[in-house]
Amino acid sequence: MSAVPAATALPAARPDASRDAAIARATGHLDSGSLFTTLARRIAIPTESQNPERAPDMQRYLRDEMIPAFEAMGFGCRVLEHAKAQAPFLVAERREGDGLPTVLGYGHGDVIRGQDDRWKPGLSPWTLTERDGVWFGRGVVDNKGQHTLNMAALDAVLATRGRLGFNAKFLIEMGEETGSPGLRPLCEDHAALLAADVLIASDGPRIATRKPTLFLGSRGGLGFDLIVEARAGAHHSGNWGGLISNPGVILAHAIASMVGPKGEVRVPGWVPDGIPDSVRDAIARLRFEPGPDDPVIEPDWGEPGLTPAERVYAWCSIEVLAFETGNPRQPVNAIPPRAWARMQLRYSVGVDPDTLIPKLRAFLDRQGLRNVRIELTREAMFRASRIDPQHPWVQWAARSIERTTQIEAAILPSLGGSLPNDVFTEVLKLPTLWVPHSHPASANHAPNENVPASVLREGLAIMAGLYWDLGEPEARDLAAHPVPIDTR
């Protein structure tokens, strides 16, 4: 990988440069239309990682968009591949000198399927469109818009200061929407290349549209099928009812044994022993602002004794995503031979993911449900991870965001959804700071994916402030005196 010269050969920081000037330059990317133009070009590349026919587009996104953009900012670029990955990775690095903080950024250029025929009239997943101050397009929040915004803010700091004042690395992958295959072993193989003091990246939604948010990890996800196959074919329910088992009944009992009538998890070892005080304190400070189309929160659903916020950010839930037995569209008077359910566990830190399936197998066996088969789904999911909300880098970032926005940032110990944060905490041992530039009603993974321009504007300002502050003495002191992360 090529790199810029050592710090002594870089331009001196401009003495009249200021944090406010960098923020103004960053938001100028929105006002001038350059952010829209750049993002429109990237959204037009249909990088559907679930579609094998899009492999050339995955390569094109890195070759035609990411590499030229990073090289224009003085980054050296290197494309990496791994045998377990179906798509390439890009590592970009700008090194300004020893003794400076090193920040690792992350983004993914792949998107889920466009679902072209389900968008509102006049909208297309591959055409960035603005309507009434809202931008629409596939990837506008997940994740092209978010890493494009971060790159624009980085460029604004570089142009304002004349240098960053820190060392910067970026990792762009093209397989996050299929579970980031190969990301963990690639980071294991290239740990020295990706070494840094802190991860600062963007993905996921804010807790509310008007609330700057900082999250520190994510819940893990486990997808699995439950299957009961009793016999070869269906049999008349009048002649055979009461004589032969019904797979639908058996499967319903299996699910009911796993999750209670109000959503409480009943499988031993599928919930943590408790919630750490620092995590509970951070969650207690959160305020929800449901959007107009959001469902009503049901306070009695989930683990008893926990607040709704604790249930989604620090606990576990079992979900039935699909259940089928017989012919749901044309029921007949017959006992079906088979029943199937697609299940999902969202789990928090404190649960051992390597023992989840063995514990479920033992649990179902104890219920006399040995004929319920468990199969992992093909879709890979991520492991639960988070760092302590009191970590010095977290508090530094929260102060920076509040300084920029004049609003106290919401600190989420864990995002309710899943992303590959575990790779950065477990493999690279990094404090992880995620600053989302999306909102709860983004229609992420659905038709009409969108983001308000107001969120983008504030995101540009926040990131320019964070990148500016990385070049200041406080960040250099944090990097010089690292505090190990606590991932409990």
Side-chain angles (χ1 to χ4, degrees), residues 14 111 252 259 415 421 479:
R14 294 172 183 155
V111 298
V259 55
L415 186 70
N421 189 73

Side-chain angles (χ1 to χ4, degrees), residues 98-162:
D98 298 334
L100 298 177
T102 299
V103 60
L104 176 64
Y106 164 85
H108 64 90
D110 66 315
V111 298
I112 68 157
R113 292 182 182 271
Q115 305 172 62
D116 304 47
D117 59 345
R118 296 176 56 195
W119 288 59
K120 293 177 181 179
L123 296 179
S124 163
W126 315 119
T127 302
L128 182 61
T129 305
E130 187 273 337
R131 284 189 179 178
D132 300 322
V134 179
W135 295 12
F136 292 84
R138 175 61 78 224
V140 72
V141 293
D142 193 15
N143 174 262
K144 293 177 180 178
Q146 302 217 36
H147 65 256
T148 294
L149 185 154
N150 289 359
M151 293 165 69
L154 191 74
D155 179 70
V157 170
L158 180 59
T160 302
R161 187 181 256 151

Side-chain angles (χ1 to χ4, degrees), residues 20 39 58 65 97 107 143 166 174 193 208 214 234 274 288 295 406 431-432 438 457:
D20 289 343
L39 185 54
M58 312 283 271
E65 289 296 330
N143 174 262
F166 58 92
M174 302 301 295
L193 176 65
L214 180 66
F288 289 93
Q406 305 302 305
T432 49
S438 180
R457 173 180 291 279

Side-chain angles (χ1 to χ4, degrees), residues 36-235:
F36 188 95
T37 299
T38 299
L39 185 54
R41 198 173 58 244
R42 293 173 182 174
I43 282 176
I45 303 175
T47 51
E48 300 166 303
S49 56
Q50 297 160 329
N51 182 354
E53 296 179 0
R54 299 302 194 191
D57 296 304
M58 312 283 271
Q59 298 275 358
R60 183 158 61 98
Y61 187 79
L62 296 184
R63 182 187 68 242
D64 295 352
E65 289 296 330
M66 293 293 98
I67 291 176
F70 280 117
E71 288 182 340
M73 292 189 287
F75 283 72
C77 295
R78 178 178 173 184
V79 175
L80 301 175
E81 296 183 351
H82 196 278
K84 293 185 177 180
Q86 298 176 339
F89 301 82
L90 173 67
V91 177
E93 179 179 12
R94 177 186 169 96
R95 181 167 181 79
E96 295 197 356
D98 298 334
L100 298 177
T102 299
V103 60
L104 176 64
Y106 164 85
H108 64 90
D110 66 315
V111 298
I112 68 157
R113 292 182 182 271
Q115 305 172 62
D116 304 47
D117 59 345
R118 296 176 56 195
W119 288 59
K120 293 177 181 179
L123 296 179
S124 163
W126 315 119
T127 302
L128 182 61
T129 305
E130 187 273 337
R131 284 189 179 178
D132 300 322
V134 179
W135 295 12
F136 292 84
R138 175 61 78 224
V140 72
V141 293
D142 193 15
N143 174 262
K144 293 177 180 178
Q146 302 217 36
H147 65 256
T148 294
L149 185 154
N150 289 359
M151 293 165 69
L154 191 74
D155 179 70
V157 170
L158 180 59
T160 302
R161 187 181 256 151
R163 60 191 299 178
L164 294 176
F166 58 92
N167 302 314
K169 300 179 182 181
F170 263 84
L171 173 63
I172 304 292
E173 72 159 317
M174 302 301 295
E176 194 270 353
E177 298 296 0
T178 54
S180 294
L183 178 61
R184 176 177 282 263
L186 180 128
C187 288
E188 291 171 343
D189 294 344
H190 298 280
L193 176 65
L194 297 169
D197 296 299
V198 62
L199 173 90
I200 299 180
S202 298
D203 206 343
R206 293 176 164 198
I207 192 173
T209 302
R210 294 178 297 276
K211 185 67 170 176
T213 301
L214 180 66
F215 67 86
L216 315 177
S218 69
R219 288 201 294 183
L222 176 72
F224 60 99
D225 292 344
L226 297 179
I227 304 165
V228 179
E229 292 182 313
R231 55 192 67 87
H235 295 269

